[in-house]
Amino acid sequence: MTAATPALLAKARKHLFVAVVSDTLDNMGLVGQALAPAIRPLDEALTFLGRARTGMYREMFHVQPGNPYELEIKLIDDLRKDEVAVLACSGNPSIAPWGELLSTASKARGAAACVTDGLVRDVKAIRRMKFPVFAGGIGPLDSKGRGIVAEIDVPVELGGVRVTPGDLVFGDADGVVVIPKAIEAEVLSAALEKVLGEHKTLAALKKGEKLATVFARYGVL
Amino acid sequence: MTAATPALLAKARKHLFVAVVSDTLDNMGLVGQALAPAIRPLDEALTFLGRARTGMYREMFHVQPGNPYELEIKLIDDLRKDEVAVLACSGNPSIAPWGELLSTASKARGAAACVTDGLVRDVKAIRRMKFPVFAGGIGPLDSKGRGIVAEIDVPVELGGVRVTPGDLVFGDADGVVVIPKAIEAEVLSAALEKVLGEHKTLAALKKGEKLATVFARYGVL
Amino acid sequence: MTAATPALLAKARKHLFVAVVSDTLDNMGLVGQALAPAIRPLDEALTFLGRARTGMYREMFHVQPGNPYELEIKLIDDLRKDEVAVLACSGNPSIAPWGELLSTASKARGAAACVTDGLVRDVKAIRRMKFPVFAGGIGPLDSKGRGIVAEIDVPVELGGVRVTPGDLVFGDADGVVVIPKAIEAEVLSAALEKVLGEHKTLAALKKGEKLATVFARYGVL
Amino acid sequence: MTAATPALLAKARKHLFVAVVSDTLDNMGLVGQALAPAIRPLDEALTFLGRARTGMYREMFHVQPGNPYELEIKLIDDLRKDEVAVLACSGNPSIAPWGELLSTASKARGAAACVTDGLVRDVKAIRRMKFPVFAGGIGPLDSKGRGIVAEIDVPVELGGVRVTPGDLVFGDADGVVVIPKAIEAEVLSAALEKVLGEHKTLAALKKGEKLATVFARYGVL
Amino acid sequence: MTAATPALLAKARKHLFVAVVSDTLDNMGLVGQALAPAIRPLDEALTFLGRARTGMYREMFHVQPGNPYELEIKLIDDLRKDEVAVLACSGNPSIAPWGELLSTASKARGAAACVTDGLVRDVKAIRRMKFPVFAGGIGPLDSKGRGIVAEIDVPVELGGVRVTPGDLVFGDADGVVVIPKAIEAEVLSAALEKVLGEHKTLAALKKGEKLATVFARYGVL
Amino acid sequence: MTAATPALLAKARKHLFVAVVSDTLDNMGLVGQALAPAIRPLDEALTFLGRARTGMYREMFHVQPGNPYELEIKLIDDLRKDEVAVLACSGNPSIAPWGELLSTASKARGAAACVTDGLVRDVKAIRRMKFPVFAGGIGPLDSKGRGIVAEIDVPVELGGVRVTPGDLVFGDADGVVVIPKAIEAEVLSAALEKVLGEHKTLAALKKGEKLATVFARYGVL
């Protein structure tokens, strides 16, 4: 129940990938931690592991008087190194809460990534700056007059998974998994061990051994 | 209410992008002009700005006697420089109205692009010829016996947006927006001004300034 | 009603593409042989033509005692050269029946490809090994505790198309078509002829001829 | 391959129900003849068995000059006794091709029913006149300016089933099945026999016998 | 541009039905005023015509400290005679904002109805009290911890239609239409005239006249 | 952690309704226990409270040799008084696992109800016998050749909720909730207390008191 140490996080960033962490969570009985496949990376070459900072969008159908970006600005300006902006939009396909400006501001603060079930825009510019964004789609529609951040730093759900502020969020080309804070050290350690088993299995399969033989020997598939 | 001049169109093609035009349309109260995110470019590097020529497909379940491509051929053969073939298929996921042959014929006439909520096929050949196609998906199914162009040069809807013949259609990696003909000059001019504001905002954010400070100064996000 | 000879298959692999085979099947009255557009290749540069070996997944909500991969292992270990693993998951978006280990084992046996309406994981590794996988999406979720192969070598349906063991399955960037075994030689031969007609049409269109003229001359569009 | 005689049709109307005909079609290898469950009767107490007269709607986004109801009127005015108006709308949820006026006109001609995957309106009046309507939903939207009948008396598809003019269409509270014309006499006769088996099974089950015993004895479930 | 007088509203409540108002709105060019068919009445025998009072729900994933029903209570306690509670839930299928207690409170204040794209619960009790509720479905899930009213008396959208506070909302067994305030008198008057034409058409059809003849005479279908 | 006594169950059947049990589960932190609203009762007048006996269907595309109903028959023949047949079909809209014969057999054994996310057929006969069936839709399609029970008496999911054999399942016109076995006595007792509070709230609202006043007094809404 202790938090992952910086050393463990560094090791995880170097050796782990999302699929092996997903399997590890499964083995611990946490079978609902992978975001739905509709949430995809803008750039499949980028990976991230960081702590969730959450924002909950709501739909609206008029332009709110005052600053429509107030809580969104507050969340982004407060991001710290290795934090992940997690923006839940109730799966709304008509709003792009993220774009080049927020990517630029987040990167300047050392943030790790943005994960949202809404849309993202300015995708060419964001790819150029190599900031990891995982989104529910691509579209040009600004949030102003369509949605607004109603709360920040509260539990949210996106892609079918609950994210609590402070949870570890891990993304690569295979998708995104959420690692609950309370068991993060245990999950990362177990996943690092599992990686070894997979290497042996893979080597045997490359040599042309039967799956049945290899699975019987290592118990990993 | 005057049409955009060739000079304004040239400037727009050089400096504008879809997101800033979408914001400009929002500011003028036109909030439903961006096609749904399911309509994606075959090649995200290609952009276009041109005038809509429309075709309305209908579903059918037998092979029509006579020439099943009659109106489709008429539309494409009549395309002029910088026109965009806009083919509405009622979101039908079982028909590919566009492919290499129509791309070749359209490009030979100087057409700007094809936009459809149906499927596209021959995608590798089309990418090689650098003709912009924005479609609802990829699939090999010819329209013959599945659908037919029922009318051309009439108002249509695709991706949730009404397109009237002659409207400007603008596409890039972020999606497609439709600019109604009656206000096109106003929209493009306002968008060109907005681009300047975004450049300043971006420069300030890159230096690490807070979003709150920058938004207070420029009012752009 | 004779099977395609190795020579015909070789010619088909060299000259055919999925769209022309789809058109040929249409002309023979088989209009439902193309998988739905949601099933996409991991790597659009790869194509395959091989014989279906089928597995039918079922959903489950507990971890089955014993070896949860038994039939899956049996199917893959038994794959022969140019066979295609066709894994039907009832469109389940919560299970990844395919990944790096199965790709490695299949490739070692000379298998042609994997086609599934489920998810695929380890996508970067699979792309590196150039093994063709066509899937309903990308996600990290292992099948253990979520699904299990209930039967192998039986008729299945995926992407709206019935696949019988031994059918030819053909995939490229435009999608996947299934060629029923009983008529495979006839389909491939007719498609090879149709390719010629398309080449002539294309050449005429590139010269700027009207679609109407070209279609009147060759009858191909 | 002979058509059902009036006597057979009368017997079918008296003794058959949709589920037993669906089972009979299954037994003959025709497994795709039941319309999708989204198509429901306005009044579950009404049943019908009649011959299909088909109309194919297409979507449109302007009001067509001239008479927008031309082919629709032609189809309805031409309905004869025991014919069924089958109106395919490509599943369009934004158009009500059927209402009180068409029900009144059809009933006056002795038509048996209307089946559509579009919407129906004037539902209280239609229920009062006891005319069977099976539709994809209820809504007030007239077809004018939204859709138009593009062809009549051609093959159509609705609810996932192909309907050819002249096919028998049979509906009750359990749904709608389509009986291809070529085998209608065979299907109805076999279904009438199957009804007997089900009566015996039911009687045994009511007495509290085990399903296993009863199924072993009669082979019907 | 004048508001409907009490006399006109009374006449409308007596003689009009939703379909004829929908047609009238169509004729005036307002083609998007009918709520999607998924929003259905709990009791098809009940109709209502009243003025919209709006509430905009947002999703949440924790129980908000304080009174989670604050704005909802404020809206309902403030309802006046013939007002309609219009509760937009962004189509959320996991929340029932309406039930017996709110129906009781609303009825006590003389409110006309509730319209929501969320769920409704306590349906048997609500049917007994004959209070009209039109909802997106039926389910037992309370809003507490799932959603909360974020704003009241603002423009909202539900079932694809924008509703502005004060708009007339009209519902019967065929669905719900929204009549913008600015043109309400004009719409109701035109609809009352159209009803007459439909009566004549209907009478002629009942006598067995052809649709073609009747439509030529009265121009109404 | 003790099981509900027969007396408590009797009291629950007499005084409780689904919505109040759903609220009680919410209050205990179990917020995902109500089946999705697509699962509806055939007859809204019928309610049930019983223990789950589960069957897990899988899809298939051929007729299995041998008895295709083997496990289904085993499950139903083994039902005891007040047990509920819970048949999970992975939301498959193309299979009706339930009908008149199974209803008859189940009723003869004293079973309480059937709950399924598949379809139901023979709906008029089932309504006549007053056996409660809650299903994902209505359709005539037999399971033979489309689906088969793969396992019985295992955990399943339907309508988004996990059901473990022995869980209490409770249904009425508002829907279905699943009460995990371990806390059933606690849930039912708490719900019985909550019913009292709602009665007082309702009485006050009927007298015309403000919601704000009543909620302040009783804390129930």
Side-chain angles (χ1 to χ4, degrees):
Chain A
M1 280 257 194
T2 52
T5 60
L8 179 56
L9 289 171
K11 219 164 155 184
R13 284 194 184 96
K14 191 164 174 193
H15 296 291
L16 293 183
F17 41 96
V18 165
V20 77
V21 172
S22 176
D23 290 354
T24 306
L25 288 159
D26 280 355
N27 288 341
M28 297 167 67
L30 288 162
V31 299
Q33 298 304 112
L35 268 58
I39 296 178
R40 293 295 304 150
L42 267 195
D43 180 344
E44 295 196 346
L46 302 179
T47 68
F48 72 90
L49 172 63
R51 289 206 184 277
R53 290 296 300 279
T54 62
M56 182 74 222
Y57 267 85
R58 73 169 176 92
E59 205 174 24
M60 61 190 314
F61 298 98
H62 64 124
V63 179
Q64 174 131 330
N67 176 358
Y69 305 113
E70 186 180 354
L71 283 177
E72 185 180 324
I73 286 175
K74 194 175 162 195
L75 178 70
I76 303 305
D77 275 346
D78 191 46
L79 286 177
R80 278 165 300 184
K81 189 164 162 20
D82 289 331
E83 287 185 338
V84 178
V86 175
L87 301 177
C89 300
S90 301
N92 188 334
S94 303
I95 174 181
W98 201 261
E100 184 184 13
L101 298 183
L102 296 190
S103 296
T104 304
S106 300
K107 203 183 172 189
R109 267 144 207 76
C114 168
V115 179
T116 180
D117 57 349
L119 307 178
V120 56
R121 66 186 219 174
D122 310 321
V123 299
K124 284 199 282 194
I126 294 175
R127 284 195 191 114
R128 270 195 305 268
M129 74 177 75
K130 303 281 182 200
F131 184 75
V133 177
F134 288 63
I138 295 172
L141 295 165
D142 185 33
S143 57
K144 190 173 66 174
R146 294 189 177 87
I148 196 164
V149 177
E151 281 186 299
I152 60 175
D153 296 319
V154 292
V156 299
E157 274 189 34
L158 74 171
V161 180
R162 172 149 315 208
V163 184
T164 301
D167 284 348
L168 282 181
V169 187
F170 185 21
D172 68 15
D174 284 343
V176 177
V177 285
V178 178
I179 309 166
K181 202 175 177 175
I183 55 164
E184 62 181 45
E186 194 179 347
V187 171
L188 296 181
S189 303
L192 284 162
E193 275 178 49
K194 195 172 187 299
V195 166
L196 285 182
E198 298 209 1
H199 284 328
K200 289 181 201 157
T201 299
L202 189 59
L205 292 174
K206 276 185 181 161
K207 282 188 277 181
E209 286 197 62
K210 291 269 178 185
L211 277 169
T213 321
V214 177
F215 182 64
R217 195 186 315 141
Y218 300 118
V220 170
L221 201 65
Chain B
M1 279 260 193
T2 52
T5 60
L8 179 55
L9 288 171
K11 220 165 153 183
R13 284 193 185 98
K14 191 164 173 192
H15 297 291
L16 293 184
F17 41 96
V18 165
V20 76
V21 172
S22 177
D23 291 353
T24 306
L25 288 159
D26 280 356
N27 288 342
M28 296 168 65
L30 288 162
V31 299
Q33 298 304 112
L35 268 59
I39 297 178
R40 292 296 305 151
L42 266 194
D43 180 345
E44 295 196 346
L46 301 179
T47 68
F48 72 89
L49 171 64
R51 288 203 186 280
R53 290 295 301 278
T54 63
M56 182 76 223
Y57 267 85
R58 74 171 176 91
E59 206 175 23
M60 61 190 313
F61 299 98
H62 63 124
V63 178
Q64 174 131 330
N67 177 356
Y69 305 113
E70 188 181 353
L71 283 178
E72 185 181 324
I73 287 176
K74 194 175 162 196
L75 178 70
I76 304 304
D77 276 348
D78 192 46
L79 286 178
R80 279 165 300 184
K81 189 164 161 25
D82 289 332
E83 287 186 338
V84 178
V86 175
L87 300 176
C89 299
S90 302
N92 188 333
S94 303
I95 175 181
W98 201 260
E100 183 185 13
L101 298 182
L102 297 189
S103 296
T104 303
S106 300
K107 203 183 173 190
R109 269 144 205 76
C114 168
V115 179
T116 181
D117 57 350
L119 307 178
V120 57
R121 66 188 220 172
D122 310 322
V123 299
K124 283 198 283 194
I126 294 175
R127 284 196 191 111
R128 270 195 304 270
M129 72 176 77
K130 303 280 181 201
F131 184 74
V133 176
F134 289 62
I138 295 172
L141 295 164
D142 186 34
S143 56
K144 190 173 66 174
R146 294 190 178 88
I148 196 164
V149 177
E151 282 186 299
I152 59 175
D153 296 322
V154 292
V156 299
E157 275 189 32
L158 74 171
V161 180
R162 174 149 313 209
V163 185
T164 300
D167 283 348
L168 282 181
V169 187
F170 185 19
D172 68 15
D174 284 342
V176 177
V177 285
V178 178
I179 309 167
K181 204 176 178 172
I183 54 162
E184 62 181 46
E186 193 181 348
V187 171
L188 296 181
S189 302
L192 284 163
E193 274 179 49
K194 194 172 188 299
V195 166
L196 284 181
E198 298 209 359
H199 284 330
K200 288 183 201 157
T201 298
L202 189 58
L205 292 175
K206 276 185 182 163
K207 282 188 278 179
E209 287 197 61
K210 290 269 176 184
L211 277 169
T213 320
V214 177
F215 182 65
R217 195 187 315 141
Y218 299 118
V220 169
L221 202 66
Chain C
M1 279 260 193
T2 52
T5 61
L8 179 55
L9 288 171
K11 220 164 152 181
R13 283 193 185 96
K14 191 165 172 192
H15 297 292
L16 293 184
F17 41 97
V18 165
V20 77
V21 172
S22 176
D23 290 353
T24 306
L25 288 159
D26 279 355
N27 288 341
M28 297 168 66
L30 290 162
V31 299
Q33 299 303 112
L35 269 58
I39 297 178
R40 293 296 304 152
L42 266 194
D43 179 345
E44 296 196 346
L46 302 179
T47 69
F48 72 90
L49 172 64
R51 288 204 186 279
R53 290 295 300 280
T54 63
M56 181 74 222
Y57 267 85
R58 74 169 176 91
E59 206 175 23
M60 61 190 314
F61 298 98
H62 63 124
V63 178
Q64 176 133 327
N67 176 357
Y69 304 114
E70 187 181 355
L71 283 178
E72 185 180 325
I73 286 175
K74 194 176 163 195
L75 178 70
I76 303 304
D77 275 348
D78 192 46
L79 286 177
R80 278 164 302 184
K81 190 165 159 22
D82 289 333
E83 287 186 338
V84 178
V86 175
L87 301 176
C89 300
S90 302
N92 188 334
S94 303
I95 174 182
W98 201 261
E100 184 184 13
L101 298 182
L102 296 189
S103 296
T104 303
S106 300
K107 203 183 174 190
R109 269 143 206 77
C114 168
V115 178
T116 181
D117 57 351
L119 306 179
V120 56
R121 66 186 219 174
D122 311 321
V123 299
K124 283 198 282 193
I126 295 175
R127 284 196 190 112
R128 269 195 305 269
M129 73 176 76
K130 303 279 181 200
F131 184 76
V133 176
F134 288 62
I138 296 173
L141 294 165
D142 185 34
S143 55
K144 190 172 67 175
R146 294 189 178 87
I148 195 164
V149 177
E151 282 185 299
I152 59 174
D153 296 321
V154 292
V156 300
E157 274 189 33
L158 74 170
V161 179
R162 174 150 313 211
V163 184
T164 301
D167 283 348
L168 282 181
V169 187
F170 185 20
D172 68 14
D174 285 343
V176 177
V177 285
V178 177
I179 309 167
K181 202 175 179 174
I183 55 163
E184 62 181 45
E186 193 180 348
V187 171
L188 295 181
S189 303
L192 284 161
E193 275 179 48
K194 194 170 187 300
V195 165
L196 285 181
E198 297 209 1
H199 285 330
K200 289 182 200 156
T201 298
L202 189 58
L205 292 175
K206 276 185 181 162
K207 283 188 278 180
E209 286 199 61
K210 291 267 175 184
L211 277 168
T213 320
V214 177
F215 182 65
R217 195 188 313 141
Y218 299 119
V220 170
L221 200 65
Chain D
M1 280 260 194
T2 53
T5 61
L8 180 56
L9 289 170
K11 221 166 153 181
R13 283 194 185 95
K14 191 165 172 192
H15 297 292
L16 293 184
F17 41 96
V18 165
V20 78
V21 173
S22 176
D23 289 354
T24 306
L25 288 159
D26 280 356
N27 289 341
M28 296 168 66
L30 289 162
V31 299
Q33 299 303 113
L35 268 57
I39 297 178
R40 293 294 305 150
L42 266 194
D43 180 345
E44 296 196 347
L46 301 179
T47 69
F48 72 91
L49 172 63
R51 289 204 186 278
R53 291 295 300 278
T54 62
M56 182 75 223
Y57 266 85
R58 73 169 176 92
E59 205 174 25
M60 60 191 314
F61 298 98
H62 64 124
V63 179
Q64 176 132 329
N67 177 355
Y69 305 113
E70 188 180 354
L71 283 177
E72 186 180 324
I73 286 176
K74 194 174 164 197
L75 178 70
I76 303 305
D77 275 347
D78 192 45
L79 286 177
R80 280 164 300 184
K81 191 167 159 24
D82 290 333
E83 288 185 339
V84 178
V86 175
L87 300 177
C89 299
S90 302
N92 189 333
S94 304
I95 174 180
W98 201 261
E100 185 184 13
L101 297 183
L102 296 188
S103 296
T104 304
S106 300
K107 203 183 174 190
R109 269 142 206 78
C114 168
V115 179
T116 181
D117 57 350
L119 307 179
V120 57
R121 64 187 220 171
D122 310 321
V123 299
K124 284 198 282 194
I126 294 175
R127 284 196 191 111
R128 271 194 304 269
M129 73 176 79
K130 302 280 181 201
F131 183 76
V133 177
F134 289 62
I138 296 172
L141 295 165
D142 185 35
S143 57
K144 190 173 67 175
R146 294 190 177 86
I148 195 163
V149 177
E151 282 186 297
I152 60 174
D153 295 321
V154 292
V156 300
E157 274 188 34
L158 74 172
V161 180
R162 172 149 317 207
V163 184
T164 300
D167 284 347
L168 282 181
V169 188
F170 185 20
D172 68 14
D174 285 343
V176 177
V177 284
V178 178
I179 309 167
K181 202 175 180 174
I183 55 163
E184 63 182 42
E186 192 180 350
V187 170
L188 296 181
S189 304
L192 284 162
E193 276 179 51
K194 194 171 188 300
V195 165
L196 285 182
E198 297 209 0
H199 285 327
K200 290 182 200 157
T201 298
L202 189 58
L205 292 175
K206 276 184 181 162
K207 283 188 278 182
E209 287 198 63
K210 290 268 177 184
L211 277 169
T213 321
V214 178
F215 183 66
R217 194 186 315 142
Y218 299 118
V220 169
L221 203 65
Chain E
M1 279 262 194
T2 52
T5 61
L8 179 55
L9 288 170
K11 220 164 155 183
R13 284 195 184 94
K14 191 164 174 193
H15 297 290
L16 292 184
F17 41 96
V18 164
V20 77
V21 172
S22 175
D23 290 354
T24 306
L25 288 160
D26 280 357
N27 289 341
M28 296 167 65
L30 289 162
V31 299
Q33 298 303 111
L35 268 58
I39 297 177
R40 291 296 304 149
L42 265 195
D43 180 344
E44 296 197 346
L46 302 179
T47 68
F48 72 90
L49 172 64
R51 289 206 185 277
R53 291 294 301 276
T54 62
M56 182 74 222
Y57 267 84
R58 72 170 177 92
E59 206 174 23
M60 62 190 313
F61 298 98
H62 63 125
V63 178
Q64 177 132 330
N67 177 355
Y69 304 113
E70 187 181 356
L71 283 177
E72 187 180 325
I73 287 175
K74 193 174 164 198
L75 178 70
I76 304 304
D77 276 347
D78 191 45
L79 287 177
R80 278 164 300 183
K81 190 164 160 26
D82 290 331
E83 287 185 339
V84 178
V86 175
L87 300 177
C89 299
S90 302
N92 188 335
S94 303
I95 173 181
W98 201 261
E100 184 185 13
L101 298 183
L102 297 189
S103 296
T104 304
S106 300
K107 203 183 173 190
R109 268 144 206 78
C114 168
V115 179
T116 181
D117 56 350
L119 307 178
V120 57
R121 65 188 221 172
D122 311 320
V123 299
K124 284 198 282 193
I126 295 175
R127 284 195 190 111
R128 271 194 304 270
M129 72 176 79
K130 303 281 181 200
F131 184 75
V133 177
F134 289 62
I138 295 172
L141 295 164
D142 185 34
S143 57
K144 190 173 67 175
R146 294 189 177 88
I148 195 164
V149 177
E151 282 186 298
I152 59 175
D153 296 321
V154 291
V156 300
E157 275 189 33
L158 75 170
V161 179
R162 173 150 314 207
V163 185
T164 301
D167 283 348
L168 282 182
V169 187
F170 185 19
D172 68 15
D174 285 343
V176 177
V177 285
V178 177
I179 309 168
K181 203 176 179 174
I183 54 163
E184 63 181 42
E186 192 180 349
V187 170
L188 296 181
S189 303
L192 284 162
E193 275 179 51
K194 194 171 188 300
V195 166
L196 284 182
E198 298 209 359
H199 285 329
K200 290 182 200 158
T201 298
L202 189 59
L205 292 175
K206 276 184 182 162
K207 284 187 278 182
E209 287 198 64
K210 291 270 178 183
L211 276 169
T213 321
V214 177
F215 182 65
R217 194 188 314 140
Y218 299 118
V220 168
L221 203 66
Chain F
M1 279 262 194
T2 52
T5 61
L8 179 55
L9 288 171
K11 219 165 154 182
R13 284 194 185 95
K14 190 164 173 194
H15 297 292
L16 292 184
F17 40 96
V18 165
V20 77
V21 172
S22 176
D23 290 354
T24 306
L25 288 159
D26 280 356
N27 288 341
M28 296 167 66
L30 288 162
V31 299
Q33 299 304 111
L35 269 58
I39 297 178
R40 292 296 304 151
L42 266 194
D43 180 344
E44 296 196 347
L46 302 178
T47 69
F48 72 90
L49 173 64
R51 289 204 185 279
R53 290 295 300 278
T54 62
M56 181 75 223
Y57 268 85
R58 74 169 176 92
E59 206 174 23
M60 60 190 316
F61 298 98
H62 63 124
V63 178
Q64 176 132 330
N67 177 356
Y69 305 113
E70 188 180 356
L71 283 178
E72 186 181 324
I73 286 176
K74 195 175 163 198
L75 177 70
I76 304 303
D77 276 347
D78 192 46
L79 286 178
R80 279 164 300 184
K81 190 164 158 26
D82 289 332
E83 287 185 339
V84 179
V86 175
L87 301 176
C89 299
S90 302
N92 189 334
S94 303
I95 174 180
W98 201 262
E100 184 185 13
L101 298 182
L102 297 188
S103 296
T104 304
S106 301
K107 204 184 172 187
R109 268 142 207 78
C114 168
V115 179
T116 181
D117 57 349
L119 307 179
V120 57
R121 65 188 220 172
D122 310 320
V123 299
K124 283 198 282 194
I126 294 175
R127 285 196 191 111
R128 271 194 304 270
M129 73 176 77
K130 303 281 180 200
F131 183 75
V133 176
F134 288 63
I138 296 172
L141 296 164
D142 185 34
S143 57
K144 189 173 68 175
R146 295 190 177 87
I148 195 163
V149 176
E151 282 186 297
I152 60 175
D153 296 321
V154 292
V156 300
E157 274 188 33
L158 74 170
V161 179
R162 172 149 316 207
V163 184
T164 300
D167 283 348
L168 282 182
V169 188
F170 185 20
D172 69 14
D174 284 343
V176 177
V177 284
V178 178
I179 308 167
K181 203 177 179 173
I183 55 164
E184 62 181 43
E186 192 180 349
V187 170
L188 296 181
S189 304
L192 284 161
E193 274 179 50
K194 193 171 188 303
V195 165
L196 285 182
E198 299 210 359
H199 285 328
K200 289 182 202 156
T201 297
L202 189 58
L205 292 175
K206 276 184 183 162
K207 282 188 278 181
E209 287 198 62
K210 291 270 177 183
L211 277 169
T213 320
V214 177
F215 182 66
R217 195 187 314 142
Y218 298 118
V220 169
L221 200 66

